[in-house]
């Protein structure tokens, strides 16, 4: 099982490859706001654990195992953003809150949140009902 930090790297590498076709150490460093030497170190560890293949001058590619987990990590992040949006969290807080919790939920919890997101998406009036409750609660808190 990858650690939270390994998950962040695999997730970003997967996204970069999806968006640009490749993931350079400098791009990963920028995306994760870390020093390139930290990226090199982590990439070597991910290579050793068979999530990717890293060749110093040729760049890196995800293995089948790396792609599979990368895809799930990106899905998890997007699902949690969708969940935060549904529950009415302020847009400015969504990214950081998802980054804060995503590594600490079980896959079972992710699946159940998936059910809940589906419940709201299938009938948008459900979101309106939730907003009405929130409006009342907010007024009471003032
Ligand atoms: Mn994330």
């Amino acid at each position: 099982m990858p650690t939270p930090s390994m998950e962040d790297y695999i997730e970003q590498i997967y996204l970069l490859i999806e968006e640009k076709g490749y993931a350079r150490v400098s791009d990963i460093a920028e995306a994760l706001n870390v020093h390139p030497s930290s990226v090199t170190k982590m990439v070597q560890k991910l290579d050793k654990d068979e999530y990717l293949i890293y060749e110093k001058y040729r760049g890196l590619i995800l293995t089948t195992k790396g792609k599979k987990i990368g895809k799930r990590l990106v899905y998890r992040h997007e699902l949690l953003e969708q969940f935060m949006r549904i529950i009415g969290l302020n847009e400015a807080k969504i990214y950081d809150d998802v980054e804060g919790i995503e590594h600490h939920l079980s896959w079972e919890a992710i699946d159940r949140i998936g059910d809940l997101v589906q419940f709201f998406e299938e009938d948008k009036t459900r979101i309106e009902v939730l907003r009405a409750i929130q409006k009342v609660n907010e007024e009471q808190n003032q």
Side-chain angles (χ1 to χ4, degrees):
M1 282 291 282
T3 62
S5 173
M6 287 162 77
E7 287 189 343
D8 275 335
Y9 277 84
I10 297 168
E11 186 185 347
Q12 274 312 321
I13 291 166
Y14 186 92
L15 277 175
L16 282 166
I17 291 174
E18 210 179 41
E19 285 162 15
K20 308 172 70 164
Y22 55 88
R24 290 183 306 203
V25 166
S26 56
D27 296 326
I28 302 166
E30 200 191 316
L32 291 172
N33 205 13
V34 294
H35 198 268
S37 64
S38 310
V39 176
T40 305
K41 231 182 263 174
M42 178 58 93
V43 160
Q44 284 162 350
K45 174 163 177 47
L46 292 172
D47 182 308
K48 191 170 143 275
D49 290 355
E50 296 176 339
Y51 291 103
L52 54 82
I53 297 162
Y54 176 55
E55 286 175 45
K56 203 170 178 192
Y57 298 103
R58 297 182 60 192
L60 57 88
I61 54 162
L62 289 171
T63 60
T64 303
K65 173 180 158 180
K67 273 184 210 159
K68 195 177 161 201
I69 183 83
K71 193 175 176 178
R72 291 182 78 195
L73 296 173
V74 169
Y75 161 77
R76 183 177 69 185
H77 183 106
E78 285 169 358
L79 175 74
L80 290 172
E81 282 202 4
Q82 227 183 330
F83 169 69
M84 293 297 183
R85 209 159 277 130
I86 286 167
I87 64 173
L89 184 65
N90 186 325
E91 201 62 35
K93 294 200 176 101
I94 288 179
Y95 185 82
D96 284 349
D97 274 6
V98 170
E99 284 301 309
I101 64 166
E102 62 183 347
H103 309 292
H104 308 288
L105 296 169
S106 65
W107 286 101
E108 192 191 347
I110 296 298
D111 287 343
R112 298 295 72 78
I113 289 171
D115 297 341
L116 188 72
V117 166
Q118 189 184 341
F119 173 79
F120 281 103
E121 292 294 327
E122 276 179 2
D123 180 353
K124 302 281 184 182
T125 62
R126 289 166 179 161
I127 297 183
E128 289 162 27
V129 173
L130 179 62
R131 293 291 174 269
I133 293 170
Q134 290 172 329
K135 194 161 176 256
V136 171
N137 287 346
E138 257 173 49
E139 281 161 7
Q140 280 173 353
N141 290 336
Q142 274 166 11

